[in-house]
Amino acid sequence: MEPLSKQFYCRNTTDVAKELLGKLLVRDLQGKVMVGKIVETEAYGAHNDPASHAYRRKTDRNAVMFGEQGHAYIYFTYGNHFCLNATARDSLPAGAVLIRAIEPTEGIEQMLRNRETSVSTNIGSGPGKLTRAMKITMEQNSADLCTAGELYIAGSNDQRNYKIRRSSRIGIVRGVDKAWRFFISENLHVSKKLKSK
DNA sequence: CTCTCGATGCACT
DNA sequence: GTGCATCGAGAGA
């Protein structure tokens, strides 16, 4: 599995978010490999985006969003969960793509153990769930996603023509006007609540 | 199936 | 002190 190049991430953040759909998230724990197909993403910008961590200024937490493209930006939230982003931007000072959901393709047994569940249908259906399943924590923050190390994103041989849908982002109150969430519709359940928004 | 609600810890005001 | 880029249990339908 070949990592995506840095150039892939040096473009408009929303374009990168859309094109990460169908790509493979790879977690290598000393040879024990877990892989999942990315099926849901969200783009977060800089001073142009009130929902973004990088909206106001560079701080210790969001510094990676202002750094080199193609790196992991990870943060801890709601007292329990880690969320994984890939830094991506062109002319703006900061930007990242939140990986919201994966569909496991390899190492499923290991992911189930990490999640402490036997329900295989929703292993990676949420940003906090997929980091738990793949043992992704702050230790991987700023990791280079363009080299085949412990965490990276690879291209896929699956050339199916996905139906890509987009909507407002989830779990935010500001910036709801931007349709910067992208997902592969056949894989995701869209609740009534979201439809009515 | 749908919806509500509390847990939880840290960054930032 | 306030507010989260969330999750899962539990109740109701």
Side-chain angles (χ1 to χ4, degrees):
Chain A
M1 283 173 291
E2 198 66 23
L4 299 176
S5 71
K6 183 188 166 183
Q7 302 309 317
F8 180 89
Y9 300 95
C10 297
R11 296 179 292 153
N12 183 287
T13 310
T14 55
D15 289 343
V16 176
K18 195 188 309 177
E19 293 192 28
L20 276 174
L21 295 175
K23 300 295 191 294
L24 300 175
L25 179 63
V26 184
R27 179 79 167 112
D28 190 335
L29 281 175
Q30 286 137 9
K32 288 196 168 185
V33 180
M34 294 176 276
V35 183
K37 185 174 74 175
I38 297 170
V39 295
E40 182 182 0
T41 61
E42 285 178 359
Y44 286 88
H47 48 72
N48 61 325
D49 180 10
S52 173
H53 288 172
Y55 180 52
R56 296 184 189 282
R57 64 179 167 279
K58 187 174 171 181
T59 65
D60 284 346
R61 178 173 70 151
N62 66 22
V64 178
M65 283 184 77
F66 291 80
E68 200 177 339
Q69 293 93 331
H71 284 247
Y73 167 53
I74 299 167
Y75 63 89
F76 182 72
T77 192
Y78 289 109
N80 311 298
H81 305 289
F82 297 102
C83 291
L84 170 67
N85 298 250
T87 57
R89 64 192 158 87
D90 49 15
S91 56
L92 290 170
V97 176
L98 172 67
I99 311 298
R100 281 197 62 89
I102 59 167
E103 198 178 87
T105 59
E106 206 175 309
I108 295 176
E109 292 298 317
Q110 201 179 165
M111 292 193 226
L112 285 171
R113 277 200 300 279
N114 295 339
R115 283 282 318 283
E116 297 177 323
T117 178
S118 58
V119 184
S120 59
T121 53
N122 64 352
I123 298 174
S125 62
K129 294 185 200 174
L130 72 90
T131 53
R132 180 82 181 264
M134 287 193 165
K135 279 197 186 303
I136 294 168
T137 68
M138 293 308 292
E139 287 177 34
Q140 283 73 48
N141 190 32
S142 84
D144 183 3
L145 299 173
C146 302
T147 59
E150 60 171 2
L151 181 66
Y152 62 98
I153 299 174
S156 170
N157 293 326
D158 187 355
Q159 294 298 332
R160 275 195 294 160
N161 204 10
Y162 296 115
K163 287 177 190 165
I164 294 176
R165 297 185 56 80
R166 64 189 296 171
S167 77
S168 175
R169 291 168 292 180
I170 307 290
I172 57 168
V173 292
R174 301 206 309 286
V176 290
D177 55 308
K178 301 182 191 307
W180 286 0
R181 170 179 176 243
F182 300 90
F183 56 104
I184 297 172
S185 60
E186 61 189 317
N187 293 299
L188 285 180
H189 173 70
V190 180
S191 76
K192 230 182 231 176
K193 194 174 170 182
L194 296 172
K195 280 180 186 167
S196 65
K197 273 190 179 174

